[in-house]
Amino acid sequence: MKLILENWKRFINETNDPQRTELEIKFFGNSKDIGAFIYELYKKEKESLFSQGKSPAEISSHHNNISEKIKQEIKSKTGKDIEDAGRGQFRTTYIYDNDLVIKIDVSLDGSGKKMNEEDKNFGTRSDFDIFPRCYSWDTSYEWIILEKVEEINNPQNIVSFFPNNLLTKHYSKYYILLNCIKYKVAMFENNKQEIKLFYDDIQEQIQNNSNLTVENIMEQFNKLPLFNKVCAAIFKFKMDVDDSLREFNCGIGSDDRFVILDSSTKESINTGLSNLSKQQKTWASLRRAAREKQQNQNIVGVTSK
């Protein structure tokens, strides 16, 4: 894995570099094939269930059975293990050989591909290395391969990446951190209403300590490169602060850096909710088409007799 990280920066933005394929083969082995292999296996099983008239919800309920088949196939093909890390509305995630994360699109309308593309765009930026690094991807974004990140399950562990010696004994330092990020983002946006709102929120949280001021707390945070990078990313990509910095949505990268696991923007969240409704309509129309096809086949069969 260290070799992957050492070479990642060399080729991550070199789209036409002939050495890129060679490096991917050398350091990723057959994981690129594994991404496509998993996607095709899942797609085949999903289409089989769909042809039986199963709804999206019913297909989702078969996820564990599908994953068991995939695990067996991968073990037979590579001799390595694959772990099912869960299925969402639009994507399914697997961990390959306890080292790489593979996400595949399982949506009816390609919504998962859009999310994979977003993860790839975030994960290949060298200026914002606070997202999971994307090592490889399908050109149509049917699947992507990301670094494995260890989830942080406690807000105080998130705070540990943003040390502020003025808040070492303050019980609400996690919420102060969030409000300080919101305050700085509001400053970037020149949103006077929110600047005042978050300033007052911080002031209220520290009102019992006469030695603390919003200004000196912000002064300490502003000295931290990570704090500034997170604020800049949230401003640039219109991310939600509370969602981005909550437990289980942050983690520790393979090189021990702080990572935001879900880089969903406010726009993509709204798009995802809209697409869920579209998926339900897509399934209804596809099922009608399948039913009509079956009826036509039955008519042809009766006529031929």
Side-chain angles (χ1 to χ4, degrees), residues 106-122:
V106 295
S107 64
L108 289 175
D109 64 350
S111 298
K113 294 178 184 178
K114 181 62 180 176
M115 293 179 176
N116 281 345
E117 181 180 8
E118 189 173 80
D119 279 347
K120 175 259 179 182
N121 290 338
F122 279 109

Side-chain angles (χ1 to χ4, degrees), residues 36 193 231 263:
Q193 183 177 355
C231 291
S263 55

Side-chain angles (χ1 to χ4, degrees), residues 148-162:
K148 183 184 176 185
V149 175
E150 179 186 351
E151 292 180 343
I152 295 175
N153 59 11
N154 187 312
Q156 298 312 314
N157 291 338
I158 295 174
V159 173
S160 68
F161 282 90
F162 303 87

Side-chain angles (χ1 to χ4, degrees), residues 3-61:
L3 291 174
I4 293 177
L5 295 171
E6 289 170 3
N7 285 275
W8 177 78
K9 290 184 178 180
R10 277 184 53 194
F11 67 81
I12 200 65
N13 290 319
E14 299 169 358
T15 55
N16 296 314
D17 185 354
Q19 291 184 346
R20 177 167 180 162
T21 301
E22 180 183 346
L23 283 170
E24 286 178 336
I25 292 172
K26 183 177 181 181
F27 295 111
F28 300 132
N30 60 0
S31 63
K32 287 186 70 177
D33 294 334
I34 294 300
F37 186 65
I38 292 172
Y39 174 79
E40 292 299 331
L41 278 175
Y42 206 102
K43 180 181 177 183
K44 180 181 177 181
E45 293 293 330
K46 185 176 68 174
E47 289 177 346
S48 174
L49 291 169
F50 179 77
S51 68
Q52 298 171 33
K54 303 293 185 183
S55 69
E58 290 171 322
I59 292 173
S60 295
S61 70

Side-chain angles (χ1 to χ4, degrees), residues 199-262:
Y199 184 98
D200 291 345
D201 282 349
I202 300 168
Q203 189 67 52
E204 182 178 351
Q205 289 172 315
I206 63 174
Q207 62 182 348
N208 294 328
N209 191 328
S210 59
N211 295 323
L212 291 178
T213 67
V214 175
E215 287 76 14
N216 60 26
I217 291 172
M218 285 300 299
E219 182 182 3
Q220 290 293 314
F221 276 134
N222 283 327
K223 294 177 182 179
L224 303 176
L226 178 60
F227 177 83
N228 291 309
K229 189 176 292 186
V230 168
C231 291
I234 287 171
F235 168 69
K236 183 177 180 66
F237 304 121
K238 307 300 180 187
M239 296 163 62
D240 182 81
V241 176
D242 293 313
D243 192 51
S244 297
L245 274 84
R246 61 178 169 80
E247 63 269 32
F248 298 106
N249 207 21
C250 296
I252 303 172
S254 47
D255 55 355
D256 296 327
R257 76 191 191 287
F258 177 81
V259 173
I260 296 175
L261 280 165
D262 185 357

